[in-house]
Amino acid sequence: MWEQLAYFIIRFRLSLIALLAAITIFMAWKAKDVEMTYDFAQVVSEKDPDMQYFRQFKHTFGEDGNVLVIGLQDSSIYKLGNFNEFRQLSDTLAKVQGVNGVLSVSKLLNIYKDTASNSFKATPIFRNPPRSQKELDSLMRVVNSVEFYKGQLISPSTGATLLALTMDPKYLNSSKRQAVMNHILGFAGQFEKKTGIKLHYAGLPYVRSTMTTKVAGEMKFFTILAMIVTGITLLAFFRTWSAVLFPLIVVGITVVWCIGSIVLLGFKINLLTGLIPSIIIVIGIPNCTYLLSRYHYDYRKSGNQMLAMTRVIRKIGLVTLMNNTTTAIGFIVFAFTDIAILYQFGLVATINIFAAFIISFILIPAAFTFLPPPTPKQLEHLDAAPLTKLLEFFDHLVLDRRGTVYLLALVMVAGAAIGISRIDTVSYMVDDLPKKSSVNSDLAFFESHFNGVMPLEFEVDTHKKKGLFKLRNLEKIDQFEKFLRTQPELSPPVSLVTFLKASTQAFYNGDPRFFRLPDNSEKNFILSALANSGSSAGGAGMNSKLLRTFVDSTSQKARISLKIADIGSQNLDTLMNTKIIPEMNRIFKGTGMDIRPTGTTIIFTKGNEYVIHTLRDSLFMAFGLVGLVVLLLFRSVKTVFFALIPNAVTLLLTAGIMGYFNIALKPSTALIFVIALGIDGDNSIHLLAKFRQEMALNGQRVREAVSVTLSEAGTSMIYTSIVLFVGFSIFAFSEFGGTKALGMLMSASLLITNFSNLILLPALLVTFEHGKDDVSTNALIRHYDESYHEEDDEVDLNLNQMHKAADYEGDYTI
């Protein structure tokens, strides 16, 4: 099969190049439509009950994560000139397309009782811009007397204030999001220049915008950097520019296909899929390295380009395909999850790993049979043996010091176990960004002055229409809210109860002492007044848009909305499970009401646990699939054992490093193990294939076969590991913690795998392989890509046919 494929590729190389070009142009045309996203909810399955409940909650009450807040703490804001600039900023932002509403000190309403119409009216406190400092001070006293706003827009302890923008979800979830954010930040920047007052930004819209911008920037940066780094590595190995240019063209085409496939599949680029282009470059280069190394070796042996390239395809085609398959296993297992972000990552990566294989096996043979044959100088790298002494040392350890090898492995695994015991499972909503980033520093500002800005929601269900207006139900909700106010991680809650308290204060002419629920004698009048107010009351009535976001249409369900600091998944679990939920159950027990926490923050925490659990299952699945591939290739259960044990050791040691370096286990780091297993499994197959062939050639003499395998396969394995190590090391320059951890841990894994596969695996072969050939004659791999016994090729290959294939398109003659 592979011989016929070699003939086909060389004979129709111009046509195949044209086909690749056409597909690449189409993919580039589709790639221009790629969009960015950063959605916390993508980490939870759509089938998850909490996720379904959250979606129903949003359908009833609206979005919880569409508020962008701008905060400041500067007493000069209450100077007349600066305050009017702040008022102007609020008015300007309210007109930005994509902003549904703005709430700020300058736009606050004052509710008062209208006895004549038995209703409440609402008028702006700042009806017109204040014209003197005295007038501004007087109006601010009115603002400070309204209890409803304390802790919401103005910090009672520090005097900090914030401006809250409600964003249109249609813009937040589209490509228009960044344009809206640019307008907002532009107007805010102008305010800062005019007044000298520093502004702080937070809220999920801002976090998502910042993250997507950084993802886009890093995707471009790492794609270019991966090209440069791998290009330098190739030049160091082959010392010829053609061996640099064409592999980079291969991976460049693959990157275009990758982005185009994201669009064709209807996905968007997120924190994970944004890594795929640079990962594909790193993974795709070894394909080209194998091809070129083998081509140079066979050309030096045969002196014939066509024969050499045909041998390349014949000899390494199946092994390289299986290596790519093993690598793809590290990604394809994600496609079996029902978590959107993992499914997309796994599917796109898997498709493009095989795309890189196809492109390299077409373009490299086609290009290098067009180019002049390699010169003797370009072939010098075949004789260079900088690693010979190292491999001889490995050979000595494997043959003469296996006890030391096993003892060292046990000590390292024991040390890794200690490190694993130190691994912490925790994540933060913005912990992928560095601690000194503007997002984290601004978040610290809001946590210091307003106890955080991350949304936390509760839904109360009375199970009866208009059940919310029973005073005993309102009092239970109020009791729960008073408890929530005692928690330092939470902001003051807002709910129907809060509005009723504000209405009671208004009923008593704004006296702050009456910011409370109405009693039985007051309730009927206040509820009647609220009902009479209507939407014409400037937003004060039960029919107002604001209040409708806290009560459903039947007045059966209520929403309690508050903000929480980004305290991390562990602390949030502790807060919810040891404090809030027990108190919640105690207060509402026997009331006939149900209350349930929800919101983006709860879903994010649930997603953290869900993803880690899913990745654990994916790792076991990956082990099973790698074992299945080895079994299909070698038809030997013993060989499966030889392949999986070293890779298990590699993963254990990598996990130990996580513990020693305080790298937390979270979604962005947990997926590393599955990917590492797929990539590290390549080396096992590489070495086992060579060993099986040497066993056949050396009369089943294990020690001789292992020695030859190490000397001949070891160099290419180490060089490939170096390429991958250097390639993944670039991710250590990322601003995202998870991406940085990916680079560090994958690089560590690639170093460890050289011990596992070049020392431990050969030692296991010497110990447990007794020379009996238990490989079925039906095994897929019976030859190896680095076979040095190919004298029969002259007989097997029809060189005249190869010349005709070259002359077929009139572009090459020998």
Side-chain angles (χ1 to χ4, degrees):
M1 168 188 164
W2 291 97
E3 184 175 334
Q4 284 73 27
L5 182 61
Y7 288 146
F8 178 82
I9 290 173
I10 294 176
R11 180 173 183 178
F12 297 104
R13 51 193 170 164
L14 277 181
S15 300
L16 291 172
I17 291 174
L19 178 62
L20 286 180
I23 296 174
T24 304
I25 291 171
F26 171 75
M27 287 296 194
W29 179 70
K30 297 301 295 184
K32 66 180 175 57
D33 299 323
V34 72
E35 295 183 17
M36 310 292 298
T37 185
Y38 188 78
D39 187 357
F40 292 112
Q42 283 189 319
V43 298
V44 180
S45 167
E46 293 290 338
K47 299 176 183 178
D48 182 78
D50 288 336
M51 186 63 177
Q52 293 177 346
Y53 185 85
F54 178 50
R55 294 206 177 278
Q56 183 60 43
F57 173 87
K58 291 198 295 183
H59 177 75
T60 303
F61 297 107
E63 291 282 343
D64 73 325
N66 63 333
V67 177
L68 185 152
V69 290
I70 303 175
L72 59 96
Q73 185 192 27
D74 193 321
S75 59
S76 68
I77 190 64
Y78 301 113
K79 300 297 183 182
L80 182 64
N82 287 341
F83 185 85
N84 283 330
E85 288 290 344
F86 187 66
R87 175 190 173 95
Q88 170 111 22
L89 173 65
S90 301
D91 293 340
T92 302
L93 294 179
K95 297 175 183 177
V96 173
Q97 194 173 22
V99 175
N100 282 346
V102 173
L103 188 63
S104 72
V105 171
S106 65
K107 286 183 166 293
L108 295 181
L109 300 173
N110 191 19
I111 304 174
Y112 66 94
K113 176 181 62 176
D114 186 347
T115 307
S117 62
N118 186 30
S119 65
F120 289 107
K121 303 289 186 182
T123 59
I125 295 176
F126 295 90
R127 195 181 290 271
N128 296 303
R131 289 169 292 183
S132 66
Q133 187 66 45
K134 183 178 180 181
E135 181 183 359
L136 172 59
D137 294 341
S138 175
L139 292 173
M140 284 305 302
R141 283 193 289 271
V142 175
V143 170
N144 291 324
S145 70
V146 182
E147 293 292 324
F148 180 86
Y149 299 130
K150 289 184 179 179
Q152 300 295 340
L153 289 179
I154 301 174
S155 172
S157 58
T158 66
T161 185
L162 59 80
L163 184 155
L165 287 74
T166 304
M167 311 294 293
D168 187 340
K170 294 180 181 178
Y171 283 81
L172 285 180
N173 299 322
S174 73
S175 58
K176 299 177 181 179
R177 173 188 55 248
Q178 198 56 48
V180 176
M181 291 301 304
N182 289 340
H183 280 117
I184 293 171
L185 297 178
F187 290 128
Q190 292 175 17
F191 169 83
E192 287 184 301
K193 288 182 179 179
K194 289 180 181 178
T195 63
I197 296 175
K198 179 173 177 55
L199 298 180
H200 303 270
Y201 308 90
L204 291 185
Y206 177 69
V207 171
R208 286 171 175 166
S209 173
T210 302
M211 294 290 254
T212 51
T213 300
K214 288 186 177 296
V215 167
E218 286 211 346
M219 186 180 74
K220 296 174 185 176
F221 170 73
F222 284 126
T223 299
I224 295 172
L225 186 58
M227 287 278 197
I228 294 172
V229 168
T230 52
I232 293 173
T233 307
L234 287 170
L235 185 61
F237 286 168
F238 295 103
R239 300 176 185 178
T240 171
W241 287 106
S242 61
V244 175
L245 176 62
F246 288 99
L248 292 183
I249 291 175
V250 167
V251 293
I253 291 173
T254 309
V255 167
V256 173
W257 286 27
C258 177
I259 300 174
S261 65
I262 290 174
V263 177
L264 289 173
L265 291 168
F267 303 153
K268 296 180 181 180
I269 290 179
N270 53 49
L271 192 57
L272 286 184
T273 53
L275 296 175
I276 295 177
S278 43
I279 288 177
I280 288 296
I281 293 172
V282 175
I283 293 175
I285 287 295
N287 287 337
C288 302
T289 304
Y290 283 138
L291 285 165
L292 290 174
S293 296
R294 180 63 194 190
Y295 168 62
H296 283 183
Y297 169 78
D298 278 300
Y299 175 76
R300 186 172 69 173
K301 182 177 181 180
S302 68
N304 186 294
Q305 280 183 283
M306 296 299 174
L307 175 59
M309 194 57 76
T310 303
R311 283 179 176 174
V312 168
I313 299 172
R314 290 178 63 207
K315 296 295 182 181
I316 74 170
L318 179 59
V319 173
T320 308
L321 176 60
M322 291 301 103
N323 285 343
N324 279 265
T325 301
T326 308
T327 301
I329 285 173
F331 296 89
I332 199 171
V333 290
F334 299 137
F336 292 99
T337 70
D338 52 3
I339 299 175
I341 192 170
L342 288 180
Y343 169 78
Q344 294 172 13
F345 177 70
L347 184 60
V348 172
T350 300
I351 290 172
N352 287 282
I353 285 171
F354 287 112
F357 169 78
I358 293 170
I359 294 168
S360 61
F361 263 72
I362 291 175
L363 192 57
I364 295 298
F368 281 87
T369 51
F370 274 122
L371 292 172
T375 64
K377 184 177 181 180
Q378 292 171 351
L379 298 176
E380 287 178 357
H381 70 91
L382 296 174
D383 299 318
L387 300 178
T388 299
K389 291 185 178 180
L390 179 62
L391 291 172
E392 288 176 354
F393 175 66
F394 287 173
D395 186 70
H396 169 67
L397 290 177
V398 168
L399 297 181
D400 304 321
R401 294 288 185 270
R402 288 190 302 285
T404 303
V405 170
Y406 296 145
L407 179 62
L408 179 61
L410 287 174
V411 170
M412 293 172 68
V413 169
I418 297 173
I420 292 171
S421 68
R422 298 179 179 179
I423 294 178
D424 202 9
T425 304
V426 63
S427 62
Y428 296 81
M429 295 189 78
V430 295
D431 68 341
D432 268 333
L433 289 174
K435 298 299 181 183
K436 296 182 180 180
S437 71
S438 60
V439 173
N440 276 312
S441 61
D442 283 352
L443 188 61
F445 169 87
F446 287 100
E447 290 178 353
S448 172
H449 297 286
F450 297 96
N451 294 357
V453 292
M454 297 302 177
L456 179 63
E457 307 283 347
F458 294 87
E459 183 184 84
V460 180
D461 189 351
T462 64
H463 297 290
K464 293 181 181 179
K465 290 185 178 181
K466 298 186 179 180
L468 289 173
F469 298 124
K470 292 184 178 181
L471 190 57
R472 65 175 182 273
N473 291 342
L474 292 171
E475 288 173 344
K476 286 295 182 181
I477 296 174
D478 185 34
Q479 184 181 350
F480 180 57
E481 290 188 8
K482 286 179 179 177
F483 164 75
L484 294 176
R485 288 174 183 268
T486 65
Q487 303 305 306
E489 302 91 348
L490 306 177
S491 70
V494 179
S495 70
L496 169 64
V497 167
T498 321
F499 284 99
L500 289 175
K501 287 182 176 182
S503 299
T504 306
Q505 181 182 359
F507 178 74
Y508 286 98
N509 301 315
D511 189 337
R513 294 176 299 170
F514 291 94
F515 183 74
R516 58 169 173 77
L517 281 174
D519 59 28
N520 275 321
S521 62
E522 301 159 341
K523 184 185 73 169
N524 291 335
F525 176 84
I526 289 176
L527 291 178
S528 174
L530 281 170
N532 292 335
S533 299
S535 59
S536 63
M542 280 296 295
N543 294 326
S544 71
K545 181 178 179 181
L546 180 61
L547 191 51
R548 286 202 305 273
T549 63
F550 292 92
V551 180
D552 75 336
S553 59
T554 65
S555 299
Q556 173 183 315
K557 297 179 180 180
R559 169 189 191 178
I560 303 174
S561 184
L562 59 156
K563 306 299 181 185
I564 184 171
D566 189 14
I567 58 178
S569 56
Q570 275 190 356
N571 290 331
L572 180 59
D573 281 340
T574 301
L575 176 64
M576 295 298 298
N577 295 323
T578 65
K579 294 183 179 181
I580 294 178
I581 292 179
E583 185 68 12
M584 182 180 74
N585 292 335
R586 186 190 68 80
I587 291 173
F588 289 93
K589 183 179 180 180
T591 63
M593 293 187 289
D594 289 328
I595 180 169
R596 183 170 177 177
T598 187
T600 299
T601 303
I602 295 293
I603 292 299
F604 171 77
T605 305
K606 175 70 177 282
N608 181 62
E609 300 171 354
Y610 197 91
V611 170
I612 291 175
H613 177 79
T614 300
L615 289 172
R616 182 193 65 191
D617 294 342
S618 297
L619 182 59
F620 288 127
M621 183 186 295
F623 263 107
L625 290 175
V626 170
L628 180 61
V629 169
V630 174
L631 185 62
L632 290 174
L633 288 176
F634 299 100
R635 299 292 198 272
S636 168
V637 175
K638 185 190 293 185
T639 306
V640 175
F641 164 80
F642 290 143
L644 295 185
I645 292 299
N647 288 291
V649 171
T650 298
L651 296 186
L652 288 173
L653 297 181
T654 304
I657 291 173
M658 282 186 67
Y660 286 116
F661 284 88
N662 296 318
I663 300 174
L665 183 66
K666 52 188 176 180
S668 56
T669 56
L671 60 85
I672 291 169
F673 296 98
V674 188
I675 298 173
L677 175 61
I679 294 176
D680 294 345
D682 293 352
N683 282 332
S684 299
I685 292 178
H686 200 77
L687 187 135
L688 286 168
K690 176 62 178 172
F691 172 74
R692 288 304 179 193
Q693 187 223 9
E694 290 302 325
M695 285 285 285
L697 294 173
N698 287 282
Q700 306 301 315
R701 293 189 297 273
V702 177
R703 296 174 67 91
E704 288 81 350
V706 166
S707 292
V708 175
T709 298
L710 282 174
S711 64
E712 295 182 2
T715 301
S716 63
M717 289 171 63
I718 291 176
Y719 278 144
T720 301
S721 295
I722 291 173
V723 172
L724 293 171
F725 173 82
V726 172
F728 276 106
S729 295
I730 65 174
F731 294 119
F733 297 100
S734 173
E735 286 192 73
F736 294 108
T739 306
K740 185 175 293 187
L742 171 69
M744 292 174 56
L745 293 175
M746 282 302 304
S747 298
S749 171
L750 289 163
L751 290 179
I752 296 169
T753 195
N754 283 316
F755 165 78
S756 299
N757 285 297
L758 288 175
I759 299 177
L760 181 59
L761 175 54
L764 291 172
L765 290 172
V766 174
T767 301
F768 295 102
E769 178 61 72
H770 301 297
K772 181 180 178 181
D773 186 9
D774 60 348
V775 181
S776 168
T777 56
N778 294 321
L780 291 179
I781 289 185
R782 297 192 302 276
H783 300 287
Y784 181 66
D785 62 320
E786 294 188 10
S787 171
Y788 291 92
H789 306 273
E790 295 170 339
E791 289 77 4
D792 59 333
D793 275 345
E794 293 291 348
V795 177
D796 292 340
L797 295 177
N798 187 335
L799 291 180
N800 291 329
Q801 185 176 356
M802 294 302 303
H803 283 278
K804 291 178 181 178
D807 295 335
Y808 180 79
E809 294 180 357
D811 56 353
Y812 181 89
T813 58
I814 295 180

